[in-house]
Amino acid sequence: CVHCRAHLARHEELISKSFQGSHGRAYLFNSVVNVGCGPAEQRLLLTGLHSVADIFCQSCKTTLGWKYEQAFESSQKYKEGKFIIEMSHMVKENGWD
């Protein structure tokens, strides 16, 4: 976390660097750590309607991105259970590109 330096994810959990968050570029992860999850809500994103839950840093409570709970289009089902973290909230260390 760029705000409190809490560890959020391992590089091995990175799926894609080409996602869009609410405030800019974002990364898609299989799993994350040290985050809490808010209630799920339906949002119309660039790739269609999804049920997502905001995720936040357990240490400083900053909203980091979201978890895909459900995708309503079959081409987007691969995102279910995955996490978006916006780049502006991440510190990349130990060989991240």
Side-chain angles (χ1 to χ4, degrees):
C1 176
V2 73
H3 308 283
C4 71
R5 309 289 287 181
H7 182 70
L8 299 174
R10 292 185 14 230
H11 190 268
E12 296 79 32
E13 297 299 322
L14 178 64
I15 299 170
S16 174
K17 297 179 183 178
S18 59
F19 272 70
Q20 188 68 29
S22 300
H23 305 100
R25 290 193 45 211
Y27 287 1
L28 181 69
F29 291 92
N30 263 319
S31 66
V32 294
V33 295
N34 300 322
V35 300
C37 203
E41 62 182 36
Q42 290 187 5
R43 287 190 202 148
L44 186 57
L45 303 174
L46 292 173
T47 54
L49 186 65
H50 295 78
S51 175
V52 298
D54 285 338
I55 59 171
F56 56 89
C57 177
Q58 286 283 50
S59 295
C60 69
K61 308 302 183 212
T62 299
T63 299
L64 303 169
W66 60 82
K67 177 182 181 184
Y68 287 102
E69 298 287 353
Q70 184 179 7
F72 296 101
E73 296 179 24
S74 58
S75 66
Q76 301 299 309
K77 291 284 188 189
Y78 75 95
K79 296 178 185 174
E80 291 180 349
K82 308 286 191 298
F83 299 84
I84 286 286
I85 297 180
E86 296 188 0
M87 286 183 61
S88 62
H89 298 299
M90 292 191 322
V91 176
K92 296 178 285 182
E93 295 177 339
N94 301 327
W96 285 62
D97 295 336

